[in-house]
Amino acid sequence: NRSELVEALKMLDNRSKDILQRRYLADQKATLHDLADEYEVSAERIRQIENSALKKLKSLMVDFA
């Protein structure tokens, strides 16, 4: 549910939250390379952060259920 997602997103660190929001929730989706340039890390590192944040979100959503 939307409210559970909003609560779960609040529990992520700012960088992870920003990456997920810009990759999935923004009208104009950011690419891995866009975010990598902005955060001054590799695209692979952005992908790793994204995957970790998604796993954490899924876990939090299960806890809310």
Side-chain angles (χ1 to χ4, degrees), residues 23-37:
R23 291 274 294 152
Y24 296 102
L25 303 175
D27 289 334
Q28 198 168 29
K29 311 275 189 268
T31 67
L32 291 174
H33 293 285
D34 292 338
L35 293 167
D37 290 343

Side-chain angles (χ1 to χ4, degrees), residues 9-63:
L9 279 169
K10 289 179 184 177
M11 297 178 144
L12 295 176
D13 63 273
N14 289 336
R15 180 174 65 174
S16 296
K17 187 182 339 179
D18 181 57
I19 289 169
L20 289 184
Q21 288 176 331
R22 292 177 60 197
R23 291 274 294 152
Y24 296 102
L25 303 175
D27 289 334
Q28 198 168 29
K29 311 275 189 268
T31 67
L32 291 174
H33 293 285
D34 292 338
L35 293 167
D37 290 343
E38 184 175 325
Y39 282 102
E40 298 180 349
V41 295
S42 68
E44 175 62 19
R45 181 66 186 130
I46 295 294
R47 188 194 63 74
Q48 292 168 353
I49 294 167
E50 178 182 350
N51 284 341
S52 176
L54 287 171
K55 285 180 187 176
K56 186 170 184 178
L57 260 186
K58 287 177 188 177
S59 174
L60 291 167
M61 294 293 288
V62 167
D63 290 345

